[in-house]
Amino acid sequence: MKITSFDHYKDVYKYSVEQPEEFWADIADTFTWRKKWDKVLEWNFKEPKIRWFEGAKLNITENCLDRHLETIGDNPAIIWEPNDPKEDHRVLTYRQLHDKVCQFANVLKNNGAKKGDRICIYMPMVPELAIALLACARIGATHSVVFGGFSAQSIADRIQDADCNIVITADGGFRGAKEIPLKSIIDDALVRCPSVQKVIVLTRTRTPVAMIKGRDVWWEDEIRKVETQGHKECPIEVMDAEDMLFILYTSGSTGKPKGVVHTCGGYMVYTGYTFDTTFQYQPDEVYFCTADIGWITGHSYIVYGPLSQGATSLMFEGVPTYPDAGRFWDIVDKFKVNIIYTAPTAIRSLMSYGDDFLKGKNLSSLTKLGSVGEPINEEAWHWFDEKIGHGHCPIVDTWWQTENGGHMITPIAGITPLKPGYASLPLPGVQPALFDESGKEIEGNDVSGNLCIKFPWPGMLRTTYGDHERCRQTYFAAYQDMYFTGDGCLRDEDGYYRITGRVDDVLNVSGHRIGTAEVENAINMHSTVVESAVVGYPHDIKGQGVYAFVVAPHKSGDEDLTRKDIIMTVSRIIGAIAKPDKIQFVSGLPKTRSGKIMRRILRKIAEGDTSNLGDTSTLLDPAVVDEIKAGAL
Ligand code: 6R9
């Protein structure tokens, strides 16, 4: 099934559209199943109901670990580079990773975990994080990873929504010069989470933490117990293809994050296939994905995709600018990295530090580059191409979403042609379509519209946890029998796709999805705030910045303090990642007579483009616009 040329891609693509079930069955055949499927696909986008490989039995960790032991058991599965370059790196071979996953799976069992439980993971980027995910999957528990940048309140919301009974965390985590008090944040969250019976705490920073008798246990102590019990193996739990593998919360246009649900069989096939295809991974290549496992990119392309394909996955604990802006390139040099997969925001940030940080770094091992998370601007694309790839490494600009499980529209490295700024062509099995506002499909080339997908793919979400209707409403109601992505897109004269950004009220800040309604809710929690409206504006490094228009009477002279208080409130309610970059105090918001905020106008003002605000005649109080314009930041 390896795609060997552009023409071959076209043939495979055609086949995948004409005979999708045969196409995916062939790919699924390359995995290890305890029992093969009775039916490849059953679906309708109305309910929606999507079932891949129905009747099949498997465990994803058998595919990520056990099946490699005989052939590549001594190959590195995970290479880990710590935050502090002076600390030793670690290498876990497939055999070692297998043993550690079994051990920790037994720890989970000892602590009462069983198939079907939901387990919340809030950990730093250390190998034990990957081990925790895999151990959950091995015993059939559903993991729900929460990114380390979220607040206690956000964690509590997610734990409650999924009704988790166990939390896996660490005393703290290192990120650049900062230390994040993970356990203490968990303690704050758990005040509101009576469902949690056990907290397993890994030692990382050795900061003093509260350990509550009967609830909190140390990871290391529990491992020792398992060792004295003499349990080395942990047999896999045999899962149905459509059993839940994990929940991952993501922001949408409403205030409450949704728990996107992925299932075992389809997700495994899709992440494995797309990892292999997009990156054209060759045995022994060192592959470095700079994402955090707290996001979907880390789930699919640090853990499950690479490991199911027997790859060497490099994971990095720190940030690109610590101790200096050359850190990624030091890592590439140190481990002779062949493939680096990163985000436009990181590229733009490193670019802004200048080329000095590239001096003396040997990047000649690199053969392929990847980008994900947001549109990549041409300047960043060319810098990445020239300075990092030295003009000879294809850049795969991979467009996809948490809900998709894996790559959807992307170049195939070295096979399909590249266009800077373009995610380019759909992978085999992916059928994109563009729609206009009236619900009509836009055919032909040199057009733009709202991006939908016509046909199911194995990695797609099955539901939003605990609320199937919400899943239908959000993704399957906008256009009949279509999955709606929420992204705008153009298809150029050659049929290549370029994603232009969200068309809903979702911001993309440094590649992180943030719902404007969520930020507004958080701002409105501040005691003096009457109401607020949040929009995005172009930001050189972050892609988009958060611009908040806030109605909040305050004493004159208190403006700066109130601003800081609001920022602190947002940090508390959501987490530091959602902090507004700009807060403009206004006496009122532009509203229609029916009371709807005219965001279009606020967006234009935030973008600094006030020349043509369009029709403002339907506004209740047009004068408010002049005031806002005059006070724009
Ligand atoms: C994987 C991931 C999804 C949203 C998506 C889109 C944006 C992601 C992109 C891209 C342009 C790319 N996005 N990759 N836009 N080009 N290559 O990022 O998932 O966090 O769910 O975000 O990110 O707007 O809808 P997620």
Side-chain angles (χ1 to χ4, degrees):
M1 262 296 167
K2 267 256 187 282
I3 295 173
T4 51
S5 66
F6 189 29
D7 282 336
H8 187 208
Y9 158 79
K10 291 179 194 159
D11 291 343
V12 174
Y13 185 78
K14 192 161 171 279
Y15 173 65
S16 78
V17 171
E18 287 168 357
Q19 287 170 271
E21 298 195 25
E22 289 79 353
F23 171 76
W24 286 113
D26 282 351
I27 291 162
D29 268 330
T30 65
F31 290 81
T32 300
W33 305 84
R34 288 294 174 100
K35 175 182 171 285
K36 288 273 173 85
W37 47 92
D38 304 318
K39 197 162 190 296
V40 176
L41 171 64
E42 205 186 308
W43 71 289
N44 73 68
F45 277 174
K46 277 205 174 51
E47 297 177 53
K49 176 180 173 191
I50 298 116
R51 301 185 71 79
W52 281 93
F53 312 114
E54 180 115 65
K57 305 255 185 219
L58 76 151
N59 187 291
I60 194 167
T61 71
E62 182 166 49
N63 282 271
C64 290
L65 302 168
D66 306 58
R67 71 162 171 165
H68 303 314
L69 295 183
E70 234 171 70
T71 45
I72 52 165
D74 297 322
N75 280 16
I78 292 179
I79 300 176
W80 174 76
E81 169 72 9
N83 181 60
D84 178 353
K86 291 195 282 296
E87 192 183 331
D88 289 337
H89 71 269
R90 289 167 63 187
V91 178
L92 292 175
T93 65
Y94 272 94
R95 197 175 315 285
Q96 290 164 332
L97 182 61
H98 168 269
D99 293 351
K100 286 193 180 291
V101 169
C102 285
Q103 248 184 353
F104 192 65
N106 285 325
V107 166
L108 289 175
K109 283 189 181 168
N110 275 348
N111 281 280
K114 44 183 197 324
K115 181 176 180 175
D117 286 354
R118 274 86 51 219
I119 297 182
C120 174
I121 303 178
Y122 187 67
M123 287 179 78
M125 277 287 286
V126 291
E128 284 72 16
L129 170 53
I131 291 167
L133 266 70
L134 292 162
C136 288
R138 195 159 185 93
I139 64 167
T142 300
H143 55 74
S144 167
V145 181
V146 179
F147 174 65
F150 282 111
S151 68
Q153 168 97 28
S154 291
I155 299 166
D157 290 345
R158 285 156 174 76
I159 289 177
Q160 284 176 359
D161 188 73
D163 201 20
C164 297
N165 59 346
I166 296 179
V167 173
I168 309 171
T169 187
D171 47 2
F174 298 115
R175 267 178 79 77
K178 283 195 221 120
E179 232 183 273
I180 321 245
L182 297 167
K183 173 63 165 60
S184 137
I185 297 171
I186 285 291
D187 288 336
D188 288 345
L190 293 191
V191 172
R192 289 179 35 207
C193 302
S195 62
V196 173
Q197 308 288 319
K198 276 276 148 64
V199 181
I200 304 174
V201 187
L202 178 81
T203 308
R204 176 65 187 125
T205 54
R206 300 189 65 85
T207 18
V209 293
M211 292 295 281
I212 307 298
K213 192 182 290 166
R215 188 193 75 181
D216 301 352
V217 294
W218 289 105
W219 175 300
E220 294 78 7
D221 291 348
E222 295 304 298
I223 293 286
R224 268 190 294 277
K225 270 190 219 158
V226 167
E227 275 168 352
T228 47
Q229 286 165 349
H231 292 153
K232 269 212 138 68
E233 264 293 324
C234 174
I236 60 157
E237 188 73 42
V238 177
M239 305 295 283
D240 284 337
E242 283 296 340
D243 278 342
M244 200 156 48
L245 175 63
F246 67 85
I247 305 171
L248 189 58
Y249 285 84
T250 189
S251 294
S253 40
T254 58
K256 198 173 154 242
K258 298 175 288 267
V260 169
V261 169
H262 285 287
T263 57
C264 297
Y267 178 82
M268 170 182 79
V269 170
Y270 199 68
T271 51
Y273 174 71
T274 52
F275 171 77
D276 210 38
T277 303
T278 302
F279 297 113
Q280 293 290 295
Y281 184 82
Q282 305 296 321
D284 300 326
E285 280 183 332
V286 176
Y287 158 86
F288 174 23
C289 170
T290 71
D292 191 292
I293 290 176
W295 306 108
I296 190 68
T297 303
H299 281 59
S300 300
Y301 298 110
I302 294 178
V303 183
Y304 291 113
L307 297 180
S308 82
Q309 300 309 298
T312 296
S313 181
L314 193 156
M315 94 186 248
F316 172 42
E317 184 182 32
V319 297
T321 48
Y322 182 81
D324 64 43
R327 189 66 192 280
F328 277 2
W329 323 128
D330 287 331
I331 296 174
V332 169
D333 194 344
K334 178 171 172 186
F335 297 103
K336 304 285 163 264
V337 169
N338 304 106
I339 308 172
I340 184 168
Y341 186 31
T342 191
T345 186
I347 298 168
R348 286 192 300 265
S349 158
L350 298 179
M351 205 168 93
S352 75
Y353 284 89
D355 297 346
D356 275 1
F357 291 101
L358 288 164
K359 284 206 186 102
K361 316 280 158 94
N362 184 351
L363 305 182
S364 64
S365 55
L366 286 172
T367 57
K368 289 161 260 188
L369 312 177
S371 169
V372 61
E374 50 175 323
I376 179 166
N377 50 308
E378 289 194 29
E379 195 192 352
W381 195 98
H382 287 295
W383 187 84
F384 201 30
D385 177 40
E386 284 155 29
K387 303 290 171 157
I388 308 305
H390 296 294
H392 63 75
C393 301
I395 299 176
V396 290
D397 176 1
T398 62
W399 172 82
W400 58 295
Q401 314 172 290
T402 303
E403 296 86 343
N404 305 152
H407 303 155
M408 299 289 281
I409 304 181
T410 174
I412 298 174
I415 306 277
T416 59
L418 306 174
K419 280 192 193 188
Y422 280 72
S424 77
L425 297 170
L427 283 176
V430 175
Q431 301 185 31
L434 300 184
F435 281 77
D436 67 18
E437 298 293 340
S438 75
K440 237 180 66 222
E441 180 166 359
I442 307 167
E443 314 223 25
N445 288 343
D446 204 5
V447 291
S448 48
N450 290 345
L451 178 61
C452 292
I453 313 289
K454 278 186 170 174
F455 193 83
W457 62 102
M460 73 185 298
L461 86 164
R462 301 299 193 263
T463 188
T464 47
Y465 190 78
D467 195 349
H468 194 62
E469 172 57 15
R470 184 143 182 239
C471 172
R472 191 191 67 77
Q473 269 290 334
T474 313
Y475 306 106
F476 299 93
Y479 300 98
Q480 204 183 344
D481 292 324
M482 293 287 150
Y483 166 83
F484 175 46
T485 64
D487 279 320
C489 180
L490 74 80
R491 185 166 53 217
D492 76 359
E493 60 283 2
D494 302 318
Y496 283 54
Y497 292 86
R498 178 187 189 124
I499 311 298
T500 47
R502 303 288 303 194
V503 294
D504 52 10
D505 291 321
V506 173
L507 306 182
N508 193 323
V509 180
S510 301
H512 300 156
R513 260 165 83 168
I514 296 175
T516 52
E518 262 176 87
V519 184
E520 287 164 8
N521 288 347
I523 293 175
N524 297 349
M525 300 277 282
H526 181 72
S527 59
T528 63
V529 172
V530 179
E531 62 175 341
S532 63
V534 166
V535 298
Y537 71 96
H539 187 288
D540 284 348
I541 307 280
K542 298 179 175 185
Q544 270 187 310
V546 179
Y547 195 126
F549 297 90
V550 179
V551 183
H554 49 268
K555 290 191 225 84
S556 66
D558 268 6
E559 197 165 297
D560 237 22
L561 204 56
T562 310
R563 209 173 258 129
K564 283 182 186 145
D565 288 346
I566 291 173
I567 289 173
M568 188 51 91
T569 310
V570 174
S571 287
R572 278 269 175 230
I573 304 292
I574 306 178
I577 58 165
K579 285 196 292 205
D581 298 280
K582 293 183 179 179
I583 295 176
Q584 181 184 348
F585 291 108
V586 296
S587 63
L589 297 170
K591 288 191 184 166
T592 61
R593 288 198 184 89
S594 59
K596 260 186 91 149
I597 297 171
M598 297 236 334
R599 290 171 180 281
R600 177 177 54 80
I601 292 176
L602 294 176
R603 244 175 254 134
K604 284 226 155 188
I605 295 174
E607 283 164 11
D609 169 19
T610 51
S611 54
N612 179 17
L613 291 180
D615 183 14
T616 54
S617 62
T618 55
L619 283 180
L620 192 61
D621 176 13
V624 86
V625 175
D626 296 324
E627 179 215 304
I628 298 175
K629 251 164 58 177
L633 303 170

